[in-house]
């Protein structure tokens, strides 16, 4: 295996400028893009399903999820800061494990981003229905698929602009939701401990009322982890954005640390506020296709004037930001696969604005799927897509951590950022991922996802052996490392 720091021919001599991504993202933009993907529907909408399973003990689920996510982000951050390559962790897997694992990791993650983009837009459309007029039966007159198409047009326009413009817009969207979550926590804590004249302070009574802290038992807390971990999907963007960072070493180091701290703080405190203010059975009484976020429900039930509508607007922005970030990630992953000969070369081409517009259009397939499912009236659209995402992303996380273990043995001492604990941290994260994956034995949605995911993986393996293995360009992977290392050495 060639030394990743070895000198290689100038990649520009092999990969024309029109196939090379622009390095335009700053420190703050990278951190907010990662937050934009992770801080989205999983917390604001999907948390209702986790509360239904675990009750108030969902707080423990989010604490455990924060630990697993921290292990993944820190290990991935160290590798990405050392090797800011296109394709991120997928290209790292190709280099440190084998081209096959790099191929599989990237295709799995592309599936994740495609499905998440569609899922987030389903959530956006559901939030929009909060304001829509209702018919005699109390159902919104605005169809879900209409909302999906409206928001799809918005994120497609954002993504086909330059990466600098994308980064600026995503920074604004993510900043809005970060501030919103912080305000929700502060206002929520005030309502928990001080209350209002119209809504007496409940204190912490709701955490143990109606069956106790873990009303469905601690086994249910483990089962709820498959829903909770969906909330942390998106931390992988730290690695994907490295190829378009102005100063990846510093940016990724900063982004990895701040993202871990922010997510743990926001998730644990925000979900605590929800289950403290609203009885857990009420907060979870939503079903598969949620029409109201538990966060909106908090203010809706308390009767705070206008607060529910404002909160609904903010969680809509959060979902739109996450969809925007995932469409970005999927297009970059597909473009890197095409550049390495693991996907049709057609998708490696960049537009005049240095964005992979062809890959963006194909990566919007999840939006089309979500709209079709909603239009045909298939029940449980959100739940089905979320379970498929979880099956795929758990495999991706496991491969990231395994890649880190191999990388750790070969690292050359040139790292500017090291994951605390090293291999121990990776092993802890891997054990957590396996424990969550084990819920496939008891969770019907996960079994359904496995029934789709396992055949998909087998098809990918067959395609690799039959077609990709002969067409892939291993030298392009090594040249990507040489280019990234040269750029890093120059301090670009």
């Amino acid at each position: 295996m060639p030394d990743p720091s070895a000198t290689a021919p100038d990649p520009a001599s092999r990969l024309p400028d029109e196939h090379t991504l622009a390095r335009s993202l700053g420190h703050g933009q990278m951190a907010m893009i990662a937050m934009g993907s992770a801080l989205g529907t999983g917390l604001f909408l999907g948390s209702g399903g986790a509360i239904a399973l675990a009750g108030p003990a969902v707080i423990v689920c989010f604490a455990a999820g924060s630990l697993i996510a921290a292990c993944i982000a820190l290990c991935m951050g160290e590798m990405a800061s050392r090797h800011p390559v296109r394709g991120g962790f997928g290209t790292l897997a190709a280099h440190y494990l084998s081209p096959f694992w790099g191929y599989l990791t990237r295709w799995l993650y592309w599936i994740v981003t495609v499905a998440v983009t569609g899922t987030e837009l389903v959530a956006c459309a559901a939030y929009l229905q909060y304001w829509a007029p209702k018919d005699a039966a109390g159902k919104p007159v605005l169809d879900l698929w209409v909302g999906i198409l409206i928001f799809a047009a918005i994120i497609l326009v954002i993504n086909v602009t330059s990466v600098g413009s994308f980064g600026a817009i995503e920074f604004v969207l993510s900043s809005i939701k970060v501030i919103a979550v912080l305000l929700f926590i502060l206002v929520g804590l005030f309502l928990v401990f001080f209350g209002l004249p119209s809504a007496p302070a409940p204190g912490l009574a709701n955490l143990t009322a109606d069956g106790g802290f873990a009303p469905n038992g601690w086994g249910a807390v483990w089962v709820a982890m498959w829903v909770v971990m969906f909330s942390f999907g998106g931390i992988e963007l730290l690695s994907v954005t490295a190829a378009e960072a102005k100063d990846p070493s510093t940016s990724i180091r900063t982004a990895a640390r701040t993202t871990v701290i922010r997510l743990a703080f926001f998730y644990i405190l925000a979900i605590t506020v929800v289950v403290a203010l609203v009885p857990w059975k009420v907060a979870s009484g939503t079903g598969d296709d949620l029409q109201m976020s538990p966060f909106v429900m908090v203010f809706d039930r308390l009767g705070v004037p206008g607060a529910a509508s404002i909160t609904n607007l903010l969680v809509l922005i959060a979902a739109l930001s996450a969809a925007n970030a995932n469409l970005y990630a999927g297009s970059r992953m597909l473009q890197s696969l095409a550049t390495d000969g693991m996907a049709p070369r057609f998708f490696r081409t960049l537009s005049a604005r240095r964005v992979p517009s062809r890959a963006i259009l194909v990566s919007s397939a999840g939006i089309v799927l979500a709209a079709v499912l909603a239009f045909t009236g298939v029940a449980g659209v959100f739940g089905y897509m979320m379970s498929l995402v979880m099956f795929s992303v758990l495999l991706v996380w496991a491969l990231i951590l395994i890649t880190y273990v191999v990388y750790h043995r070969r690292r050359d001492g040139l790292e500017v950022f090291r994951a605390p604990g090293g291999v121990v941290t990776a092993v802890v994260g891997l054990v957590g991922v396996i424990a969550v994956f084990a819920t496939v034995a008891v969770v019907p949605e996960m079994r359904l996802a496995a029934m789709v995911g396992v055949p998909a993986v087998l098809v990918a393996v067959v395609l690799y052996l039959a077609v990709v293995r002969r067409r892939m360009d291993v030298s392009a992977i090594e040249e990507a490392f040489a280019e990234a290392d040269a750029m890093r050495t120059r301090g670009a």
Side-chain angles (χ1 to χ4, degrees), residues 387-388 391 437 440 444-456:
S387 59
L388 179 60
F391 178 85
F437 193 84
V440 72
E445 292 88 350
M446 283 293 284
R447 286 199 296 271
L448 178 62
M451 290 172 63
V452 176
V454 171

Side-chain angles (χ1 to χ4, degrees), residues 24-26 28-30 32-33 158-159 161-175 324 328 332:
S24 305
L25 298 176
Q29 290 175 335
M30 288 184 64
M32 283 302 180
I33 289 172
I158 293 173
N159 269 270
T161 59
S162 67
V163 67
S165 299
F166 164 83
I169 293 171
E170 186 60 29
F171 180 86
V172 172
L173 293 175
S174 295
S175 296
N324 191 41
Y328 162 87
R332 270 54 180 184

